[in-house]
Amino acid sequence: MNALIQLNYPRKYLLCLFISIILSEITFGQAPNIRSDSSFALFTAAGDISNNGLTVIWGDVGTYVGSYTGSPTVTGNIHVADSVSEQAAQDVKTAYLYMNGLSCDSTIDTPFGDNLVLLSDRVYCLTSTSVLNGELILDAQGNSNGIFIIKINGALSTNPNSNIILKNSASFNNVYWQVGGAVDLGENSTFKGTIIADGAISLMNSASIQGRGLTRAGAISLNNNQVERYDALGVSLPVNLLSFKAQSIGETIQLNWTTASETNNDYFTIQRSNDAVSFQDIFRVQGARNSNNIHHYLAIDQQPFDGAIFYRLMQTDFDGTSTFSEIIVVNFKKSFPFTIYPNPFSTSTTFVKDDILRKMDNCELKIYNICGEKVMSVSLTERLTTLSTDILFPGIYLYKIVGNYETIQSGSLISK
């Protein structure tokens, strides 16, 4: 009977009902569809990409018109003037124009930040060139799908050490910035979200992006940075993580992190990697369970390896569920007990024993060719030993210094 009654409704009523259902599924102020640009961490439709220092990028990097120099560490693919970058150039322009058509729900004065709180599912507009200072808080109010859209009618710069805090299930995957000009991220600043710009993008020393930097016109300049297109599992830690930092102190790496609140947090695990892909657990730190107080944590890596070291926090709930923090990197240089100069060398090179090893007389230097054959063996009994290298043909050699039946130093030598 109900079906018969519905069939007897006027067509005009059924049409209105259908339209109302469709409109109820539309989210106004919805995120732009960046299409092929979704795989990119950094992309410019027209501009050079350059890097200075130890920069690590998780995601693709590309330019359609421009050069690519500096060799940052990239976990994704590099596209320069190919069919992929051609499509990406079209898509970033389309996304930028789409954001032009979004109406503003609220206008923000500049400079902004300084603990300003923005709520999700709204379009915020800044009417002129803008500066981000201190901390900007993005609060999703428990909605993990909450979208933040910020439109800036001009250039954007961030002051040193500025930060964007994600709160109450907010995700940087759902944050979008339209910038009508250049973007300059200050030293040690942390930026979160997808930038869709109409100008150059410059990252000062140790600045980082969790999200993407896309521009339809302008160079991208990098300087010892981190850019993460994605987090470990696409979700945030169930803790309000205010900071996670690492620094070298002597022969160790000190890791510090601070939480403002924790929910069902059993423990943290510090994980380490030398390639930002495969991680190993190195130690565990007990969490604060459930807390709304600030907690400071400290852990020390007593045996770091040489070169770039990547760290992340794995947080584990009482039910065994684990989530991950952003990845941070430290460029660690071990101090060697022997100094070698010159290297490369032509006819001789000198080995200088560090003060720590002055009392160790039984050090032996062994030199091998690239086939692993030992070509020279010399005792290093003095603090300063000059070695004649006339018998070494030009090329690369490997050396090992052994003391007290263990290797205390190894590396490469270059004869020219």
Side-chain angles (χ1 to χ4, degrees), residues 160-182:
N161 301 303
S162 60
N163 191 12
I164 297 174
I165 303 295
L166 302 177
K167 187 177 180 181
N168 293 328
S169 300
S171 169
F172 65 75
N173 295 307
N174 295 329
V175 180
Y176 295 88
W177 300 77
Q178 184 197 38
V179 182

Side-chain angles (χ1 to χ4, degrees), residues 271-348:
Q271 296 185 320
R272 183 179 66 186
S273 172
N274 61 1
D275 60 5
V277 177
S278 300
F279 284 84
Q280 62 175 171
D281 298 348
I282 56 175
F283 36 71
R284 179 184 295 185
V285 177
Q286 197 66 38
R289 305 173 68 89
N290 293 286
S291 173
N292 288 316
N293 298 321
I294 292 178
H295 290 271
H296 301 282
Y297 295 90
L298 168 67
I300 297 177
D301 185 356
Q302 300 282 0
Q303 295 180 315
F305 29 72
D306 200 33
I309 312 174
F310 303 89
Y311 295 97
R312 71 181 182 190
L313 283 174
M314 181 175 73
Q315 181 276 332
T316 303
D317 288 347
F318 290 112
D319 63 3
T321 303
S322 295
T323 50
F324 298 83
S325 74
E326 64 182 82
I327 299 171
I328 59 177
V329 61
V330 177
N331 192 21
F332 182 72
K333 184 67 176 177
K334 290 184 177 179
S335 59
F336 291 116
F338 279 88
T339 301
I340 306 171
Y341 70 91
N343 186 22
F345 51 80
S346 53
T347 58
S348 67

